[in-house]
Amino acid sequence: MSSTSPNLYIISSVAGGGKSTIISRILAIHPEFYFSISCTTRAPRPGDIPGVTYYFLTVGEFKKKIEEDQFYEWASVHGNYYGTLKDPIHKAISEKKVVLLDLDVQGAKTVKALRPESVSIFIQPPSRDIWIERLIKRGTDSEESIERRITNGISELEQASSFDYVVVNDDLDRATEEVKSIIQSEGSPSSSSKVLP
Ligand code: 5GP
């Protein structure tokens, strides 16, 4: 990959949009990519592995990291705090690794403002009804949490057009392939020459 290629890829979606599955499939194919493990104050869900899917912190621990300016970005999402640690991101960027960030829409905006050359991708469910059905069927959230995720998701869906790319997740294989091609084409020397004078 050329040194002028964008190496920061922000992947956002609504809860239950399929983003985590797409990211894990891409990482399985590209283990050399760097996935940024976020900190969160939400409780672990079945399938979560501390230190792998997230760093699980208490609210006090999270606030201490805010005070110590340890976050690249952080946001309050669905009633919990989520944040990306600065040091590992800076290290991965300086090593020219392809960095994948799984962020909510607020976090995506913050990172895009910090690094306009980053590439933002929004994973969109094929329809509102299918999305709500998937979110309920996922069975990982309480009724109250699902309601909050639907309310927040409706406003997040309205912001999809502010992303560089919108990928419709009508089929997981196809959507994963599309995200992979975006990373390949954005990272190729011919695409990076777009931004050269
Ligand atoms: P979940 O609790 O379902 O894993 O994630 C909830 C939301 O938080 C998702 O939209 C996810 O992308 C977002 N998220 C995860 N990590 C971070 C982070 O470090 N910063 C921000 N802003 N959002 C995050």
Side-chain angles (χ1 to χ4, degrees):
M1 219 165 255
S2 129
S3 60
T4 50
S5 305
N7 64 348
L8 200 54
Y9 294 86
I10 304 161
I11 305 183
S12 269
S13 180
V14 288
K19 170 190 54 179
S20 308
T21 313
I22 291 175
I23 292 175
S24 14
R25 286 182 173 208
I26 290 177
L27 289 173
I29 309 164
H30 287 286
E32 75 282 14
F33 288 0
Y34 176 81
F35 174 67
S36 164
I37 304 166
S38 298
C39 296
T40 183
T41 60
R42 84 147 159 75
R45 289 198 292 244
D48 269 323
I49 306 170
V52 176
T53 50
Y54 280 107
Y55 298 115
F56 294 96
L57 305 182
T58 63
V59 172
E61 286 166 342
F62 197 99
K63 287 190 171 165
K64 189 160 177 276
K65 288 199 186 296
I66 297 176
E67 277 161 25
E68 292 169 352
D69 196 25
Q70 286 196 38
F71 288 119
Y72 192 61
E73 67 73 44
W74 66 270
S76 167
V77 189
H78 312 312
N80 289 300
Y81 290 116
Y82 292 80
T84 309
L85 290 168
K86 236 183 221 177
D87 287 352
I89 288 293
H90 284 159
K91 185 167 178 284
I93 292 173
S94 70
E95 288 170 354
K96 307 262 184 275
K97 286 193 175 154
V98 170
V99 178
L100 304 186
L101 293 170
D102 174 342
L103 301 176
D104 85 310
V105 170
Q106 306 168 71
K109 281 190 182 155
T110 308
V111 174
K112 191 71 184 167
L114 283 170
R115 289 201 163 246
E117 78 282 13
S118 62
V119 177
S120 61
I121 305 169
F122 188 84
I123 310 293
Q124 180 155 289
S127 76
R128 194 178 282 198
D129 287 351
I130 293 175
W131 160 54
I132 294 175
E133 199 187 312
R134 279 184 191 164
L135 188 57
I136 294 167
K137 272 199 190 149
R138 184 163 83 154
T140 51
D141 304 288
S142 65
E143 202 170 309
E144 187 203 341
S145 165
I146 290 173
E147 274 169 26
R148 194 181 303 158
R149 280 159 201 262
I150 291 173
T151 310
N152 293 345
I154 289 168
S155 89
E156 287 171 335
L157 285 171
E158 284 164 5
Q159 298 173 68
S161 60
S162 67
F163 282 72
D164 296 323
Y165 294 90
V166 176
V167 171
V168 177
N169 184 12
D170 46 358
D171 174 86
L172 261 175
D173 289 339
R174 201 206 56 75
T176 306
E177 216 31 62
E178 195 175 335
V179 174
K180 230 175 68 188
S181 330
I182 292 169
I183 297 174
Q184 264 152 11
S185 68
E186 284 283 349
S188 71
S190 60
S191 127
S192 66
S193 66
K194 255 184 350 201
V195 294
L196 296 174

